[in-house]
Amino acid sequence: MPRYGPDRIRNVAILGHSHEGKTTLAESLLFVTGALPRMGSTDAGTSALDFEPEEQKRKISINLATAFVEHDGYKVNLLDTPGFFDFAGQVNCALAAAEGALVVVAAGAQLAVGTEIAWERLNRSATPRLVVVNKMDKEHADFAGSLEAMQAQLDPKPVALQLPIGAEASFAGVVDLIRMRALISAKDGSVREAEVPAELADAAATARERLVEAAAEGDDGLLEKYLDEGTLTDQEVARGLRAGVAAGRIAPVVCCSAINLVGVTPLLQAICDLLPAATCDPEGPPRAFVFSTAVDPFVGRVSYLKVLSGCLRAEQHIPNTTRGGEERLAQLFFPRGKEQVRTQEVCAGDIGAVARLQNTLTNDVLGSPDGEVPAVEIPAPTYRVAISPKSRGDEEKISTGLARLSEEDPVLVVERDEETHELRIGGLGDVHLDVILEKLRRKYGVDATTRLPRVAYRETVSGQARAEGRHVKQTGGHGQYGICVIEVSPTQRGEGFIWEDRIFGGAIPQNFRPSVQKGIQDAMARGIVAGYPMVDVKVALVDGKYHTVDSSDMAFQIAGSLAIRKAAMEAGPVLLEPILDVEVRVPERYLGDVMSDLNGKRGRISGTEPQDGWQVVRAQVPEADMQRFALDLRSITQGRGSFRTSFSHYEEVPTHLARQLIDAYQKETASS
Ligand SMILES: Nc1nc2c(ncn2[C@@H]2O[C@H](COP(=O)(O)OP(=O)(O)OP(=O)(O)O)[C@@H](O)[C@H]2O)c(=O)[nH]1
Ligand SMILES: [Mg+2]
């Protein structure tokens, strides 16, 4: 393969709503350019890009897939992303390496949510884009309808670069509106040029006007010429479009049938002509950025990287600037789905991959520390579950498996909750976490189960009480003797534990009093009424009795724990629960539904506020009720809403709910 200079490389992320044909389109590009001998199908599980069993089973993309094609002296690196929202992290990986994007939509007058979301995401990173109206072969495929719906809702404004020739089953090619030629696709995807069909001539002329206006808009010179002469040359139109696309002013729209290979080659041409070249420094020292990582239990780690400057060479030693240490680039290759095309070098602007780096992860920079670093934006997990292995003894396996999986999935968090001691995983939705479980089983041989996490409730008391703890056993041998009397009362929230020694004289000798305290604190840590740590309690030691021979450290500890149990039960025990500050961002039209959902979750709404055409709802909601909110918000807003939470404070659990928790615990401890 020739070495491609940066101006001949296009790094293109493919985004869009699930099932609109992104992967199929990438497959078709691989096939028409001869990169693959057969066209794979995501339905049949033969796709070169959706090759993991979890993808084949669900017929959706889950992992970012990278593949390259060569066309007309260009190398186009395709970064096929999943449309399913749970895997948005992979979209971010792709965008960290791409200068341009394709937004794939299925022809039809309805704008899918995933299109809106992709659009917003691209606007955030100011990524230049083309729109591909796919599935033109399908019944009721409607290019004009698609275009209209997009123009009504999206900014930058989509503008037609092509018109379809024929429709549905007879969709045969496209009119190139710059050159005003018909491009008719043969069965193998190759293109024959022809005159624009007479019946399309008027529509094409009007559409070309629009395109030329759009091209001229951002360039004073072009605009002047257009106003003076009423038209521009093909080269000028292309130049204006390129500039408009790069500036995020225009999104040219093409159409195709990925499955029938119609319009696929013209699309490839549009990518090369209109999307920006790779940005990089060919002359600089070797430097690369790892935008994605895959881990195979047998092959090991594969790091996908974009070269920012200079060239990486096989066998080269290169520092990991982010983490320190040095790596050897033993196996360097160009990825093509699961296939690897070995290479001796990967140069500035290009995307390559390297196997078996020792200590390098996504977001690391290899090579020179100088220069800007792109970064993969990592969404915060919104949905968490507790996870445990099905068979005892697999604890270690599950930890290593999860650690490996989080190397390839930067969104996945694995954490041990300090208070409940649960192992938890967090991601962007239930499908995301289901896939993690499946991968754990397939790749690391661990069967695991999940459940909603335990809420870190706490116990406290609401009133005062006095109680005696008595541990006296004096039958035979060395006896045990400790008696203490304590008074408990609530403290301010957050004060934890306050100890007061109010014994005057020697009812309990000085040296045994800390034992009483220890017994009390140990019992409080284990929980008294519902198995959660007891906090915000003041305990005063007021009286007691001892025995010169039989009293011991242990006897007083036990007395202390008995005393606190009794006292706490009499002092009006209550449960405290964590309350979260919640901020939800939704389009205006979902505001009512979201607020009533939050109300139903015992939330207190503190306000709503418009924010760039959206509404932000602020509320305080008990953590216990927020556990499934990610899933509920998804279904209320079809995936448009987003939210974040942070811990606010502890608050008393309403009596009827506390009762349930206490009863359940008492039943459990009584039976064990
Ligand atoms: N009729 C028709 N069907 C298509 C076309 N392109 C894709 N499909 C079908 O649409 C379905 C989804 O295609 P995919 O390529 O897997 O869609 P995707 O956008 O990659 O989906 P995600 O990976 O889940 O985001 C499959 O059944 C394809 O066969 C097309 O041009 N015409
Ligand atoms: Mg896909």
Side-chain angles (χ1 to χ4, degrees):
M1 191 170 70
R3 187 203 277 189
Y4 292 90
D7 58 326
R8 289 277 163 173
I9 296 174
R10 298 289 179 270
N11 298 312
V12 185
I14 309 180
L15 276 74
H17 192 79
S18 192
H19 217 67
E20 307 274 271
K22 295 177 291 299
T23 305
T24 308
L25 179 64
E27 290 281 343
S28 73
L29 292 168
L30 286 160
F31 177 68
V32 298
T33 53
L36 290 181
R38 263 185 320 274
M39 172 142 164
S41 150
T42 54
D43 290 328
T46 54
S47 160
L49 302 169
D50 286 358
F51 56 86
E52 300 249 325
E54 295 78 24
E55 303 184 324
Q56 291 168 343
K57 171 180 151 193
R58 293 180 174 75
K59 299 186 171 44
I60 60 170
S61 304
I62 288 174
N63 308 301
L64 169 60
T66 309
F68 69 96
V69 299
E70 294 169 276
H71 170 77
D72 192 28
Y74 288 86
K75 180 173 189 237
V76 179
N77 293 312
L78 301 166
L79 300 148
D80 177 37
T81 71
F84 205 80
F85 304 130
D86 284 34
F87 307 105
Q90 300 291 305
V91 176
N92 291 343
C93 289
L95 287 175
E99 283 84 21
L102 301 181
V103 177
V104 178
V105 307
Q110 279 290 336
L111 196 63
V113 190
T115 309
E116 282 174 43
I117 291 175
W119 208 263
E120 250 201 80
R121 177 65 189 84
L122 293 173
N123 284 355
R124 203 141 46 75
S125 51
T127 306
R129 72 208 74 164
L130 303 178
V131 181
V132 184
V133 177
N134 184 36
K135 304 199 184 183
M136 285 300 298
D137 58 286
K138 279 192 81 166
E139 228 180 291
H140 308 302
D142 177 5
F143 179 75
S146 268
L147 189 64
E148 233 170 80
M150 289 190 287
Q151 285 172 339
Q153 286 189 55
L154 303 178
D155 179 48
K157 271 227 164 20
V159 51
L161 183 73
Q162 303 172 345
L163 289 187
I165 299 173
E168 303 182 355
S170 63
F171 173 59
V174 300
V175 177
D176 171 348
L177 293 173
I178 300 183
R179 294 166 50 234
M180 288 303 257
R181 298 287 291 167
L183 308 174
I184 308 296
S185 298
K187 270 215 160 63
D188 64 355
S190 64
V191 164
R192 172 176 62 82
E193 261 193 59
E195 293 286 317
V196 175
E199 68 277 15
L200 278 178
D202 285 350
T206 318
R208 185 174 202 272
E209 282 292 284
R210 296 250 170 86
L211 184 68
V212 176
E213 279 167 25
E217 229 170 45
D219 182 317
D220 288 347
L222 286 183
L223 190 60
E224 207 168 302
K225 179 165 181 223
Y226 176 62
L227 293 176
D228 283 353
E229 299 176 18
T231 189
L232 297 175
T233 66
D234 296 356
Q235 288 72 24
E236 286 166 337
V237 177
R239 195 180 87 210
L241 287 177
R242 244 189 319 273
V245 169
R249 226 170 4 86
I250 317 172
V253 182
V254 302
C255 55
C256 72
S257 161
I259 233 159
N260 293 343
L261 306 177
V262 179
V264 169
T265 310
L267 159 64
L268 197 48
Q269 194 61 48
I271 292 174
C272 302
D273 290 345
L274 299 182
L275 285 179
T279 40
C280 59
D281 172 14
E283 308 305 327
R287 182 160 188 269
F289 167 71
V290 179
F291 63 89
S292 171
T293 305
V295 185
D296 183 284
F298 304 107
V299 180
R301 198 185 277 158
V302 175
S303 309
Y304 293 83
L305 33 84
K306 165 137 177 229
V307 180
L308 304 172
S309 81
C311 288
L312 300 187
R313 301 220 152 74
E315 295 304 330
Q316 179 180 7
H317 290 257
I318 190 163
N320 178 322
T321 329
T322 310
R323 270 165 226 278
E326 200 176 67
E327 296 280 11
R328 189 172 73 99
L329 305 179
Q331 287 178 43
L332 208 52
F333 59 90
F334 294 119
R336 192 172 262 162
K338 68 181 159 205
E339 227 185 86
Q340 308 184 344
V341 180
R342 289 295 279 270
T343 176
Q344 287 306 304
E345 60 175 19
V346 185
C347 289
D350 209 350
I351 283 171
V354 54
R356 299 211 177 90
L357 294 185
Q358 294 303 308
N359 189 27
T360 294
L361 294 175
T362 299
N363 261 333
D364 286 2
V365 170
L366 300 179
S368 166
D370 305 322
E372 253 182 69
V373 188
V376 176
E377 182 186 295
I378 297 166
T382 51
Y383 181 63
R384 285 178 160 75
V385 294
I387 183 168
S388 45
K390 273 193 188 148
S391 34
R392 285 212 178 161
D394 270 356
E395 278 77 10
E396 186 153 335
K397 258 189 177 168
I398 206 172
S399 303
T400 0
L402 287 172
R404 290 283 135 70
L405 289 173
S406 58
E407 287 181 10
E408 62 181 7
D409 181 349
V411 178
L412 172 67
V413 296
V414 182
E415 59 203 6
R416 174 79 58 184
D417 187 85
E418 300 232 328
E419 208 154 315
T420 62
H421 308 293
E422 280 175 335
L423 185 62
R424 290 184 186 167
I425 53 175
L428 294 183
D430 46 356
V431 177
H432 185 191
L433 299 186
D434 283 350
V435 166
I436 295 294
L437 281 200
E438 283 176 32
K439 286 190 179 178
L440 262 182
R441 191 175 316 127
R442 173 173 67 88
K443 291 183 163 186
Y444 304 101
V446 205
D447 261 323
T449 52
T450 60
R451 62 196 176 283
L452 283 179
R454 265 167 75 90
V455 174
Y457 291 107
R458 288 176 183 172
E459 302 177 358
T460 191
V461 296
S462 58
Q464 291 195 355
R466 184 185 171 101
E468 182 190 78
R470 186 185 176 86
H471 183 62
V472 176
K473 287 205 172 119
Q474 290 178 303
T475 46
H478 200 310
Q480 298 174 46
Y481 194 102
I483 296 176
C484 65
V485 180
I486 60 169
E487 273 176 23
V488 303
S489 56
T491 68
Q492 296 289 324
R493 205 55 80 236
E495 282 192 311
F497 175 75
I498 297 176
W499 173 248
E500 204 178 69
D501 181 352
R502 288 217 308 256
I503 291 195
F504 296 105
I508 300 176
Q510 203 51 263
N511 60 320
F512 287 133
R513 294 179 202 169
S515 311
V516 177
Q517 183 184 346
K518 181 165 191 307
I520 289 172
Q521 280 191 280
D522 286 354
M524 284 176 61
R526 283 192 302 272
I528 290 169
V529 292
Y532 299 98
M534 180 167 268
V535 296
D536 298 347
V537 173
K538 177 172 152 184
V539 179
L541 178 60
V542 294
D543 202 358
K545 272 190 198 143
Y546 80 108
H547 185 277
T548 40
V549 177
D550 290 343
S551 278
S552 67
D553 183 24
M554 191 44 73
F556 274 106
Q557 278 191 39
I558 295 171
S561 85
L562 293 171
I564 187 72
R565 263 165 222 289
K566 262 203 248 166
M569 289 307 265
E570 278 163 31
V574 290
L575 291 184
L576 300 176
E577 63 179 338
I579 305 291
L580 304 180
D581 280 322
V582 179
E583 196 180 289
V584 193
R585 194 169 172 274
V586 291
E588 173 95 47
R589 61 187 181 284
Y590 302 112
L591 187 61
D593 286 347
V594 166
M595 295 204 341
S596 70
D597 185 72
L598 290 172
N599 280 324
K601 293 181 157 56
R602 298 192 285 135
R604 281 189 304 262
I605 290 164
S606 56
T608 64
E609 184 187 305
Q611 205 177 73
D612 346 303
W614 291 55
Q615 287 286 337
V616 175
V617 187
R618 291 198 178 79
Q620 290 199 325
V621 190
E623 187 187 304
D625 293 73
M626 279 299 285
Q627 293 185 319
R628 295 178 56 85
F629 186 64
L631 313 184
D632 297 340
L633 184 66
R634 170 91 52 93
S635 73
I636 293 171
T637 66
Q638 277 101 56
R640 292 181 177 91
S642 62
F643 74 105
R644 54 175 185 223
T645 61
S646 56
F647 172 75
S648 170
H649 63 279
Y650 269 91
E651 214 168 88
E652 220 173 290
V653 178
T655 327
H656 66 287
L657 296 178
R659 199 66 261 163
Q660 292 170 10
L661 291 161
I662 293 171
D663 288 351
Y665 177 75
Q666 299 288 344
K667 219 155 124 201
E668 192 185 308
T669 46
S671 64
S672 66

